[in-house]
Amino acid sequence: SGFPKNNDFRANSSRASMNLDASINLKITFSEAFEGTERVLSVNEDRVQIKIPRGIRSGAKLRVKGKGNIQPGTGKRGDLYLIIEVESHQIWELEGNVLRAELPVSFDEIALGAEVIVMTPDGEAQLSIPSGIKPGQSLRLKNKGWPIKNGRGDLIFTLKLDLPKEWDPKELELINQLYKIRINDPRKDWVQSARL
């Protein structure tokens, strides 16, 4: 999105000298791949405007007819192939048609459940965290993920328990009360299974 970017390339013939087709590796951002973008490339001293479609993936090939290498003496010209490389993202990871991310959650949100505001590629959305869900389990937002031919894939959030580096004294006091009345022994089954 925004203004097209200018890149200078010297196209290399991809096979034997009689093959006039050329290929270029083109790196784009995760956001550009999601939204689609345009680039203006300088190839063999020609300016070539490229439209990169929304939802493109790493490894995809775009063909630009008649913009490859020129055969000396004849003026005959091959095609240009752009091989797309999408940069990784700090939060999102594309897996098939699904966008995945870890979602930090607090101890009370895990225990009690909560309605939380999460960020999606389109902006904010509301996500329901059910009471008693465990860290490492996942929640899904349908049709909010990667652009595909007939719509959108899903978003999947894997819950990651985020504990503070330092507890407030009031929080520690409440946790101590919880410790005194806790019924569950988290290592009961583990101890039995760990015996040799």
Side-chain angles (χ1 to χ4, degrees):
S1 57
F3 292 104
K5 296 181 182 178
N6 294 301
N7 299 86
D8 293 325
F9 292 95
R10 191 59 58 177
N12 296 318
S13 182
S14 56
R15 287 193 290 274
S17 58
M18 289 301 292
N19 180 9
L20 299 175
D21 290 344
S23 63
I24 289 172
N25 293 323
L26 182 62
K27 185 178 282 191
I28 62 174
T29 67
F30 201 86
S31 176
E32 287 174 325
F34 181 87
E35 296 173 3
T37 189
E38 289 188 5
R39 291 287 181 91
V40 176
L41 310 179
S42 180
V43 181
N44 290 332
E45 299 176 3
D46 262 359
R47 286 173 62 80
V48 182
Q49 186 159 350
I50 308 296
K51 186 171 184 179
I52 299 171
R54 176 177 167 87
I56 200 163
R57 300 160 188 263
S58 279
K61 265 188 181 183
L62 296 178
R63 180 186 179 196
V64 185
K65 294 181 82 172
K67 294 297 180 180
N69 292 317
I70 302 169
Q71 189 174 44
T74 67
K76 186 178 178 184
R77 195 161 187 179
D79 296 334
L80 174 67
Y81 289 89
L82 301 177
I83 303 166
I84 301 297
E85 180 187 346
V86 180
E87 294 176 352
S88 60
H89 192 274
Q90 186 177 346
I91 299 294
W92 300 107
E93 186 178 341
L94 182 59
E95 186 179 286
N97 294 329
V98 169
L99 267 182
R100 291 185 171 273
E102 283 191 335
L103 180 66
V105 289
S106 66
F107 172 73
D108 54 283
E109 288 170 337
I110 287 280
L112 304 175
E115 297 288 327
V116 299
I117 300 297
V118 295
M119 188 55 67
T120 76
D122 301 312
E124 293 182 347
Q126 188 164 303
L127 182 69
S128 295
I129 299 175
S131 171
I133 195 168
K134 293 178 173 57
Q137 290 185 297
S138 297
L139 297 172
R140 182 182 300 260
L141 282 180
K142 290 194 171 182
N143 305 316
K144 293 283 188 182
W146 198 253
I148 54 177
K149 187 176 181 181
N150 298 317
R152 298 276 291 276
D154 296 341
L155 285 184
I156 294 183
F157 293 99
T158 301
L159 304 185
K160 179 183 179 183
L161 183 59
D162 185 44
L163 297 176
K165 291 179 181 176
E166 292 186 16
W167 294 92
D168 182 88
K170 289 182 180 178
E171 290 177 315
L172 289 174
E173 185 180 333
L174 288 171
I175 292 171
N176 191 46
Q177 290 179 33
L178 176 63
Y179 166 71
K180 288 176 180 176
I181 63 171
R182 177 168 50 83
I183 298 170
N184 180 55
D185 179 356
R187 287 169 298 282
K188 181 180 176 184
D189 294 335
W190 181 87
V191 167
Q192 295 296 325
S193 300
R195 285 200 175 102
L196 298 180

